[in-house]
């Protein structure tokens, strides 16, 4: 099913994310994570894509496994390390497997990267997928601004170009302060971006994750969230419980304020996905 149809038909949608194995050796463990996450009955499961393209075959394989389990897959595809021909081949492969949803990304620029003749921005990939035809296309957006952008406003101008290139929906980078997301949504709408925006929520279950998130996204972490990490970061079980509770509160607040779709960065953790789902059992 196309995600655009899911977003139209569901009052409240919930999705989860997995990342593919780096090697064949880990394939089985990712597959069992997918099975566990599928038990949390998400509306779709997304599969990330290695920026260097190294895990790209596994992205498609895992997306196919998700589809075979009866759940809609969303395959990520990044273009910075690919040429147009590679992308056309990948689109053909996805189409032949009946995978209808693609999250079109540029990917992070690798260190020492020499440049790409075909792709500089995700909007160019969106255009190519649109021309190919038949796919529901999503793209990324950043409530706090993309780290390479000078201002949030210039990032939103670029986002408008990307949306107009043919996006059906957007998914946000993770955020920990819903106020930041609401404010971004107002700015995006004022810039004429009218496609559905899925709110991305990351349940933080360990102190180590916090450092990685800040380095990767440049996110500003609210004091209320930092207090939780300060207080429970040394106790893994307590940190996990508090992180899931914090994410659940964010999701309930989003739904209560009229946001109809939330994507949980569940990172191959079925226990986390199932706990979030259980916390929302009566709400969903
Ligand atoms: P773009 O939309 O191309 O934007 C990149 C930068 O270029 C921004 O600063 C933007 O403002 C600027 N820009 C865009 N167009 C123009 C223009 N015309 N002129 C000037 N500047 C412009 N990475 C992966 O490798 N694999 C994944 O699976 C993956 N999944 C993700 C899922 C989500 C929901 C999110 C939010 C991110 C994901 N990423 C993933 C990370 C993403 O690849 C990086 O954040 C990357 O740096 C930017 O990708 P993008 O698609 O947002 O790029």
């Amino acid at each position: 099913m196309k995600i655009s149809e899911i977003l139209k038909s569901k009052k409240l949608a919930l999705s989860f994310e997995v990342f593919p194995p780096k090697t064949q050796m880990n394939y089985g463990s990712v597959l069992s994570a997918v099975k566990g996450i599928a038990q949390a009955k998400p509306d779709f499961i997304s599969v990330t894509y290695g920026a260097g393209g190294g895990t790209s075959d596994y992205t498609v394989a895992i997306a196919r496994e998700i589809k075979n389990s009866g759940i809609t897959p969303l395959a990520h595809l990044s273009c910075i390390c690919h040429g147009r021909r590679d992308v056309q081949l990948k689109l053909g492969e996805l189409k032949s497997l009946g995978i209808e949803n693609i999250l079109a990304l540029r990917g992070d620029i690798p260190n020492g990267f020499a440049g790409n003749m075909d792709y500089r921005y995700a909007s160019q990939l969106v255009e190519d997928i649109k021309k190919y035809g038949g796919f529901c296309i999503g793209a990324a957006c950043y409530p706090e601004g993309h780290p390479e952008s000078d201002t949030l406003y210039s990032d939103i101008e670029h986002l408008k170009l990307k949306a107009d290139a043919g996006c059906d929906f957007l998914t946000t980078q993770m955020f920990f302060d819903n106020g930041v997301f609401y404010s971004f949504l107002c700015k995006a709408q004022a810039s004429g971006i009218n496609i559905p925006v899925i709110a991305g929520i990351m349940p933080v279950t360990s102190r180590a994750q916090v450092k990685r998130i800040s380095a990767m996204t440049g996110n500003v972490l609210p004091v209320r969230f930092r207090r939780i990490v300060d207080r429970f970061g040394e106790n893994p079980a307590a940190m996990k419980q508090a992180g899931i509770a914090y994410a659940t509160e964010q999701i309930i607040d989003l739904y209560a304020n009229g946001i109809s779709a939330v994507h949980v960065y569940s990172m191959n953790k079925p226990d986390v996905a199932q706990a979030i789902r259980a916390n929302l059992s009566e709400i969903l």
Side-chain angles (χ1 to χ4, degrees):
M1 190 175 191
K2 290 200 167 140
I3 288 172
S4 50
E5 290 161 23
I6 294 175
L7 297 176
K8 265 188 214 144
S9 65
K10 293 283 293 207
K11 259 191 175 161
L12 300 177
L14 185 71
S15 55
F16 293 117
E17 181 157 301
V18 294
F19 54 86
K22 285 205 167 68
T23 62
Q24 183 65 34
M25 222 170 70
N26 300 326
Y27 193 84
S29 66
V30 175
L31 204 54
S32 57
V34 168
K35 284 186 183 147
I37 290 174
Q39 283 171 22
K41 299 199 178 353
D43 292 295
F44 66 87
I45 300 179
S46 72
V47 196
T48 65
Y49 192 86
T55 62
S56 63
D57 291 342
Y58 293 118
T59 299
V60 177
I62 296 291
R64 189 188 52 201
E65 303 274 11
I66 294 167
K67 187 173 162 59
N68 290 344
S69 77
I71 293 180
T72 297
L74 167 61
H76 293 204
L77 175 60
S78 73
C79 60
I80 195 64
C81 294
H82 288 314
R84 282 222 152 80
R85 197 179 137 65
D86 304 325
V87 165
Q88 294 293 315
L89 289 174
K90 192 62 73 183
L91 297 179
E93 196 183 352
L94 290 166
K95 184 154 271 182
S96 70
L97 294 170
I99 295 164
E100 299 175 287
N101 303 292
I102 300 178
L103 194 77
L105 300 146
R106 183 197 69 183
D108 285 325
I109 296 175
N111 287 337
F113 186 60
N116 181 331
M117 300 293 282
D118 289 339
Y119 294 107
R120 190 161 175 205
Y121 301 117
S123 54
Q124 297 165 298
L125 177 62
V126 172
E127 272 171 22
D128 280 359
I129 302 173
K130 188 80 184 169
K131 266 191 220 142
Y132 193 95
F135 289 105
C136 171
I137 308 169
C141 64
Y142 303 83
E144 297 181 47
H146 183 266
E148 287 167 30
S149 283
D150 293 337
T151 66
L152 176 57
Y153 286 96
S154 66
D155 197 33
I156 290 177
E157 274 173 28
H158 302 143
L159 182 61
K160 167 85 170 111
L161 297 176
K162 186 160 69 174
D164 289 350
C167 291
D168 297 293
F169 68 93
L170 299 168
T171 304
T172 75
Q173 181 60 283
M174 62 195 74
F175 56 87
F176 298 92
D177 176 347
N178 287 2
V180 168
F181 171 70
Y182 298 135
S183 154
F184 163 77
L185 214 51
C186 286
K187 292 183 181 77
Q189 280 165 359
S191 304
I193 298 170
N194 294 313
I195 52 177
V197 179
I198 304 178
I201 296 295
M202 163 77 94
V204 173
T205 54
S206 75
R207 187 195 280 278
Q209 247 179 307
V210 179
K211 277 194 185 149
R212 280 202 300 273
I213 290 166
S214 298
M216 192 175 77
T217 64
N219 273 6
V220 178
L221 301 174
V223 173
R224 201 168 80 81
F225 176 79
R226 277 188 279 134
R227 292 286 170 270
I228 289 175
V229 182
D230 286 349
R231 181 73 180 84
F232 304 115
E234 297 303 319
N235 177 340
M239 185 60 230
K240 185 171 164 186
Q241 192 172 43
I244 290 170
Y246 188 93
T248 304
E249 258 190 50
Q250 274 193 284
I251 297 170
I252 293 172
D253 177 76
L254 289 163
Y255 286 153
N257 281 288
I259 304 304
S260 57
V262 174
H263 180 66
V264 177
Y265 290 100
S266 47
M267 311 297 290
N268 297 9
K269 293 177 187 155
D271 50 341
V272 172
Q274 287 169 14
I276 296 269
R277 176 74 199 203
N279 287 348
L280 300 171
S281 59
E282 300 306 315
I283 290 167
L284 294 169

